[in-house]
Amino acid sequence: MNGEKKSVESLGRGRWLLRWPARLLLPVLMLLFALAVSLLGHRLRVSELDASVLQTEQQRLRERLALEQGRLTQAIGQGDMGQARRLVAGLALHEGLMQAWLLEEDGRIAAALSRAEIGRRLSTVLIALPPAERDALMALQQAGPSELRLRTTHGPGQARLLLGAVGVEPARLLLVRVDISHALAVRQAQARSDLLQQLLLTLLSVSLFGLLLHLLWFRRADQLRHTAVQLGRGDLSARAGLRGADELALIGRAVDLMASDLQQRQTELQQLADRISHSPVVVMTWRNAEGWPARYVSDSIALWGYRRQDLLSGRIRYADLMHPEDLTRIAGEVARHLAQGPDEYRQEYRIRHGDGRWMWIEDRTWLVRDATGQVVDIHGVLLDVSELHAARAELAVQVRRLHEAEAHARLGSWTYDVGQGRGWWSAQMYALFNADPSAGVPSFEDFVARVHEADRPAVRMMLQSFAQGVTPERNVEFFRRHPDLGPTRWFSVTIYPELGAEGRIQRFVGTTLDVTETRQAEVTLRRINIELEQRVEARTRELTELNQSLESFVYTVSHDLKAPLRGIEGYGRLLLEEHAQQLDAEGRLFAERIQEGTLRMGQLIDDLLAYARMERRAISVQDVELASVLGQVIEDARTDLERGGVVLELEVPDVPLGVRVDREGLMLALRNLLANAIKFSAASQPPRVRIAVRRLGPEATSAIELRLSDNGVGFDMAYHDRIFEIFQRLHRMEDYPGTGIGLALVRKAMQRMGGTVRAESRTGEGATFVLTLPAAVFRPQEPGAA
C-alpha cells in the first residue's frame, strides 16, 4: 500500500508537465538535454586534451633527450667539452625549455643555458625555485647513469612543468626543465571555441526540429483525434486519411481499417459460412436415435460422393456407411459417451465412399443435452484423413527400415527430455546393452551398472550433465560394456543438445555406435607405429654413431697430418737458426720456402677442420640483436683495422633490429667477411670498409639485409659462384695470402641458419657481400624494468 501511495504522489508531482503542450515542452526539454550533454562533453574533452598534450610533450622531450644523450656521450668521449656546452646551449631551441644543466658526478654544473650557472652546484641554483619543483629536480638527479626519467609538476601560478633527466656517459647527468603551459592554453582555447560553435548549432537544430515536429507530428495528431471523435459518434464513414510510414500514419490506417471492418462484418460472416460449406470439412448433426439419422448435413458431403438429401431423408443411414470392422467399436464408444461422458471426444474410423472405396475419417464430436441430462443432438466435424493414414503406414515402413539399418550398423539412437526427466531408446539400444525393452529405458544408475568399471566415472559425469540440462564437456564419449553382459564391446556416444524457445536445452538427442572393430584397428595401428618409431630411433642411433666415428676420423687425420708438419717446421727452423752460415743464399731460400709451406699447410688443415665443424655442429637458432653481434665482431678486429688504417663506416638504424640466427655461425661469417675486406682493400688509399643494415618488407614478414663493402681490388662477376667454393681463389697467394676456405665457411654458415649470401663487384672497384637474415621481434628491456 505504501508503494502504491508513493507512486500516486510521484504521478501527482509530475502532472504539471502534462499542462504544457507537447509541441512546446518537447523542444525545450531537448534543448536543455543537448546543452547539458554539450557542457559535459566539453569538460571531458578538456580533460582528454590535457592528457593528450602532456603525453605529446613527454614524447617530444623523451626523443630529444635520447638524441642529446648520444650526442653528448660522443662529444664527452672525445674529450670535447666545448662541443658538449654548445649542445646543451642548443637545447634552448626546444619549445618551452626553460633551463638545462649538464651535471658532473659531484653535482657541479658543467654546462647550462646560462653561463652564470656553469661551475656552481645544482643545489645552490635550485634555491630560487618552489620547494615542490626543487624536490622533484633533486629526485631526478639521483637517476642511474643510463636511465631516462620524466616527471610533471606545477610551477609558479598555473604553470605546468615537465622535468627530465638522462644519464650521459661517463657518470654525468643531463637535467632539463620545460614549461608546457602555452601548449595547454592553445588547446583549451580551441576547445572553448568549439563549444561555442556546438551550442549555436544545437540551438539552431532544436528550433528546426521543433518546427519539423509541428508539421509532421502534432498537426497530424490533431487530425487523427478528430477522426476518432467522429467514429465514436457512430460515423463509420469517417477516415483519418494519414499517409506515411510513421507511428501516426500506422495508427491512422489502423483506425481506417477498424471502420471498414465494422461496415463489412455482416458480409464477411456470410462469406465465412459459404466457405465452410465448400471446404473439405463435412459438418453433420445427428439425432440420438437408432442408426443416427441426420438432422443437418453440409453441402461438402458431395466430396464423399453423396447428396445431402439422401442422408436427411433417411434413405441412407450414416451407420450403414461405416466399415463393419469399425462399427461395433464406434457404437460401443458412442454409447459410453452418451451414458457417462465426456461430451467432447475424437474418433477415427472408415467410411465407404460413393465410388465404393474406403476412406479414413477423423470425427470430432460434441454432445448437446437437455435439462434432464439426456442427449438431444450429436454434432460432428468430419475430415477425410486417408492421406494421413497412408503417410502413417509409410512412416511405419520407414521406422522398420530404420530399425533394420540400426541393427546392421550396430547403431542405437536415444533421446533424453530434460524437463520430464525421462528418455527414449531405439530397439538397437536395448540390443547393444542386453536390456529388456519391456522394462523400459534403464535409470541412470542401472545404465552405469552396465558400463565397464574403469569407464563409469566418465559415463556418470555425462549422465549428471543430462540431468542438470548442461551440455557435457565432450560431445563424443567412448566407453566399454560391462564384461558380465558378454564379450567386451567399445561404444561411441555422440550427443546433440536441442534448445527450446527460451534458449535453454530442452532435450538431448544422440547415437550410440559399436566401434569395437575400429578400436581394435587403432590398437593394431598403434603397435605398428611403435614398431616404426623404434626402427627410426635405431636408425638415428646408427647415424649418430656414424657421425661420431666420422668426427673422430677427421680429428685423427688432422692430428696425424699436423704431427709430421710440426716436425718439418721444427727441423726447418733449426736449419735456419743453427746452420744458416753453412747454407748459401739459395739454400736459405729453400729452407724459408719449406717453413712457409708447412705454416700454410697447418693453416689449411685448421680451416678444413673449421669447415667440417660447421658442417656437423648443432645449430642453436635464437633471437639475437644484430647490433650487439656486429659490435663484438668489430671490436675483435679493432687491432687489424687500426694497423691497416681502415676507415670504417657504419649505417645501422637506431631502432634495435633482431635476427633469428645461430649467434656463433653469424659471428664466424662476419669475421671472415670483415677480414677479407681488410685484406683486399689494404692497397687502397685510404682503405675503406662500409657496413649497412636495413629491414626488408613490413615488420611482421620482414628479413634483415646486411651489406659489407670495401674499396679493394674487387673481382670479375663471371666468377661469382666460384668464390664461395672451397679452395677456390681468384688472386695469387703471393699477393693475398689465404687458404680459400673463408667464403665457403660463410656460405655454409648462412645455409645452416636459413639465410643467404651473395656478392656484387667489379674488377678494381671493390666488392660488396650481402647477407639476408631471418628477422625476429626484438624489444630491448625498458629503463628501470626489473
Side-chain angles (χ1 to χ4, degrees):
M1 292 295 294
N2 292 335
E4 294 179 356
K5 184 177 181 181
K6 291 180 180 179
S7 299
V8 172
E9 292 177 355
S10 300
L11 181 61
R13 288 195 297 269
R15 284 179 179 173
W16 65 271
L17 291 175
L18 302 178
R19 299 174 183 175
W20 294 84
R23 62 174 58 90
L24 298 178
L25 181 62
L26 185 59
V28 171
L29 292 178
M30 290 181 60
L31 178 61
L32 294 177
F33 178 74
L35 292 176
V37 171
S38 298
L39 293 175
L40 179 60
H42 174 69
R43 292 181 60 86
L44 294 176
R45 186 180 178 191
V46 169
S47 300
E48 293 175 354
L49 285 176
D50 289 350
S52 175
V53 170
L54 179 59
Q55 183 178 4
T56 301
E57 293 299 321
Q58 285 179 338
Q59 183 62 27
R60 290 181 60 246
L61 183 58
R62 183 178 288 108
E63 293 173 353
R64 186 60 186 267
L65 290 180
L67 176 62
E68 297 301 331
Q69 179 187 30
R71 298 170 64 185
L72 287 171
T73 298
Q74 182 178 4
I76 294 173
Q78 295 174 354
D80 191 352
M81 287 302 298
Q83 175 65 15
R85 294 190 182 94
R86 287 191 292 274
L87 290 174
V88 174
L91 288 173
L93 299 177
H94 186 88
E95 182 179 358
L97 193 139
M98 303 169 60
Q99 289 173 306
W101 302 283
L102 179 63
L103 304 180
E104 299 286 357
E105 187 175 7
D106 58 357
R108 292 186 181 276
I109 300 174
L113 297 184
S114 174
R115 291 182 176 274
E117 295 177 347
I118 298 177
R120 299 172 59 187
R121 290 189 176 276
L122 179 65
S123 57
T124 61
V125 174
L126 300 181
I127 292 177
L129 299 179
E133 185 179 353
R134 184 170 61 250
D135 293 342
L137 287 169
M138 293 302 293
L140 286 175
Q141 187 183 358
Q142 306 303 319
S146 62
E147 295 177 326
L148 190 154
R149 296 184 179 179
L150 298 178
R151 289 193 179 184
T152 57
T153 185
H154 290 275
Q158 298 299 322
R160 291 289 299 274
L161 299 179
L162 187 59
L163 309 179
V166 65
V168 178
E169 298 294 340
R172 288 178 173 84
L173 183 69
L174 177 61
L175 195 63
V176 297
R177 179 169 172 261
V178 181
D179 186 356
I180 62 173
S181 302
H182 177 69
L184 287 171
V186 170
R187 298 293 292 274
Q188 291 173 356
Q190 181 63 40
R192 288 192 292 273
S193 176
D194 294 342
L195 175 62
L196 180 58
Q197 295 178 6
Q198 184 177 3
L199 292 178
L200 293 175
L201 181 61
T202 300
L203 180 59
L204 178 60
S205 301
V206 171
S207 301
L208 292 176
F209 185 70
L211 179 60
L212 187 64
L213 282 178
H214 174 73
L215 296 176
L216 298 181
W217 188 268
F218 297 116
R219 187 176 64 177
R220 298 166 71 229
D222 188 63
Q223 181 181 352
L224 180 62
R225 179 192 63 79
H226 179 69
T227 303
V229 170
Q230 287 181 300
L231 292 175
R233 292 174 179 174
D235 184 6
L236 298 181
S237 63
R239 298 291 184 270
L242 297 180
R243 297 182 179 180
D246 62 331
E247 289 78 3
L248 285 179
L250 295 176
I251 295 174
R253 283 195 289 271
V255 171
D256 293 345
L257 288 174
M258 180 181 67
S260 298
D261 289 343
L262 292 175
Q263 286 182 325
Q264 298 177 4
R265 184 176 297 275
Q266 294 299 328
T267 303
E268 290 179 352
L269 289 175
Q270 184 60 45
Q271 292 175 350
L272 179 61
D274 294 341
R275 290 169 184 169
I276 292 177
S277 297
H278 294 84
S279 70
V281 175
V282 175
V283 179
M284 295 187 66
T285 300
W286 302 277
R287 294 195 302 272
N288 185 13
E290 183 180 358
W292 304 321
R295 182 192 296 274
Y296 170 81
V297 180
S298 63
D299 293 337
S300 54
I301 193 67
L303 297 174
W304 294 4
Y306 301 101
R307 296 184 305 170
R308 294 178 67 246
Q309 292 302 322
D310 291 340
L311 291 167
L312 292 175
S313 64
R315 190 176 69 84
I316 299 177
R317 297 193 311 172
Y318 188 76
D320 295 337
L321 300 178
M322 287 187 181
H323 195 286
E325 296 179 0
D326 299 332
L327 181 58
T328 304
R329 172 176 60 85
I330 296 301
E333 292 177 356
V334 171
R336 185 170 63 254
H337 284 286
L338 293 175
Q340 305 174 5
D343 292 348
E344 293 186 8
Y345 53 91
R346 172 182 173 275
Q347 295 173 307
E348 284 190 6
Y349 48 83
R350 285 165 287 183
I351 288 289
R352 185 177 63 249
H353 192 275
D355 60 8
R357 59 186 173 88
W358 294 100
M359 57 183 182
W360 279 94
I361 299 299
E362 178 182 335
D363 183 352
R364 295 181 180 270
T365 305
W366 68 97
L367 307 178
V368 177
R369 299 180 184 269
D370 59 13
T372 62
Q374 296 297 318
V375 174
V376 179
D377 290 325
I378 304 173
H379 300 289
V381 177
L382 313 175
L383 179 64
D384 182 359
V385 292
S386 300
E387 294 183 357
L388 178 60
H389 268 262
R392 289 176 180 172
E394 178 63 22
L395 178 61
V397 173
Q398 296 297 335
V399 169
R400 178 175 56 79
R401 292 174 180 173
L402 177 61
H403 289 169
E404 293 175 354
E406 286 190 350
H408 288 299
R410 299 188 63 81
L411 173 71
S413 55
W414 53 269
T415 62
Y416 178 77
D417 191 299
V418 176
Q420 298 180 0
R422 64 184 182 184
W424 169 86
W425 276 18
S426 69
Q428 186 59 28
M429 283 291 294
Y430 292 100
L432 292 177
F433 292 95
N434 289 343
D436 183 6
S438 61
V441 177
S443 65
F444 282 177
E445 288 303 323
D446 290 341
F447 182 74
V448 171
R450 296 174 179 274
V451 176
H452 195 282
E453 290 86 346
D455 301 329
R456 286 177 180 175
V459 173
R460 183 176 283 109
M461 185 177 299
M462 177 184 68
L463 298 179
Q464 289 173 354
S465 300
F466 290 169
Q468 298 169 3
V470 178
T471 303
E473 294 183 2
R474 295 185 296 272
N475 61 355
V476 177
E477 189 72 56
F478 293 93
F479 60 88
R480 289 163 291 180
R481 188 174 63 185
H482 196 280
D484 292 347
L485 301 178
T488 301
R489 309 294 297 180
W490 277 93
F491 300 109
S492 169
V493 175
T494 305
I495 306 162
Y496 304 96
E498 290 187 355
L499 302 181
E502 299 180 356
R504 297 180 180 178
I505 295 179
Q506 182 176 5
R507 64 175 180 170
F508 293 95
V509 178
T511 59
T512 301
L513 177 63
D514 188 337
V515 293
T516 305
E517 289 75 10
T518 303
R519 298 288 293 196
Q520 291 172 348
E522 290 177 356
V523 172
T524 303
L525 181 59
R526 192 178 301 114
R527 184 178 64 254
I528 294 174
N529 288 336
I530 293 173
E531 294 175 357
L532 182 58
E533 290 176 0
Q534 292 173 349
R535 293 179 184 176
V536 171
E537 290 177 359
R539 183 58 177 165
T540 303
R541 286 195 299 271
E542 292 176 3
L543 291 175
T544 303
E545 293 172 359
L546 182 59
N547 192 33
Q548 292 174 351
S549 300
L550 180 60
E551 186 172 356
S552 300
F553 173 75
V554 170
Y555 278 97
T556 300
V557 170
S558 65
H559 180 271
D560 291 344
L561 286 175
K562 295 184 74 173
L565 284 178
R566 286 192 295 268
I568 295 172
E569 191 274 334
Y571 285 120
R573 186 175 62 253
L574 291 176
L575 184 61
L576 288 174
E577 292 176 355
E578 299 181 6
H579 302 282
Q581 301 299 328
Q582 301 175 20
L583 299 174
D584 55 12
E586 186 177 11
R588 286 193 295 274
L589 178 61
F590 290 163
E592 290 172 356
R593 289 283 190 267
I594 293 173
Q595 286 288 89
E596 293 174 359
T598 55
L599 291 175
R600 183 168 177 272
M601 186 64 181
Q603 185 180 358
L604 186 61
I605 293 174
D606 290 339
D607 288 348
L608 280 173
L609 287 176
Y611 187 82
R613 190 179 303 112
M614 176 55 67
E615 183 74 34
R616 296 188 310 275
R617 67 181 289 268
I619 295 295
S620 175
V621 177
Q622 56 186 326
D623 294 347
V624 176
E625 185 189 8
L626 182 57
S628 66
V629 176
L630 193 57
Q632 184 175 345
V633 171
I634 294 173
E635 185 62 31
D636 293 344
R638 183 69 62 187
T639 301
D640 294 336
L641 291 169
E642 293 175 354
R643 184 187 302 116
V646 178
V647 178
L648 181 61
E649 300 175 357
L650 291 177
E651 294 184 14
V652 181
D654 295 334
V655 179
L657 294 178
V659 290
R660 187 160 184 80
V661 296
D662 175 66
R663 186 184 183 92
E664 245 185 85
L666 179 59
M667 293 186 66
L668 175 65
L670 292 176
R671 286 195 189 103
N672 277 281
L673 291 178
L674 185 56
N676 271 6
I678 295 172
K679 177 172 63 174
F680 288 105
S681 63
S684 302
Q685 294 299 326
R688 192 178 301 277
V689 176
R690 176 175 172 271
I691 301 176
V693 179
R694 64 168 180 157
R695 183 186 295 277
L696 302 176
E699 183 173 356
T701 59
S702 65
I704 305 300
E705 180 185 87
L706 185 147
R707 302 176 69 91
L708 192 150
S709 307
D710 63 65
N711 61 344
V713 296
F715 61 88
D716 189 343
M717 284 297 288
Y719 304 103
H720 172 270
D721 294 333
R722 178 179 168 186
I723 64 173
F724 291 106
E725 297 295 334
I726 191 169
F727 298 138
Q728 296 297 319
R729 298 177 52 85
L730 301 182
H731 304 89
R732 297 172 62 248
M733 172 67 68
E734 293 77 3
D735 298 330
Y736 299 98
T739 61
I741 297 180
L743 291 180
L745 276 171
V746 172
R747 184 170 69 173
K748 181 58 67 178
M750 295 303 296
Q751 287 176 346
R752 300 206 65 194
M753 289 187 293
T756 62
V757 59
R758 72 176 191 275
E760 302 171 357
S761 179
R762 287 185 180 179
T763 303
E765 297 183 9
T768 298
F769 289 88
V770 183
L771 302 183
T772 304
L773 303 166
V777 178
F778 182 83
R779 293 184 174 88
Q781 189 176 16
E782 293 291 338

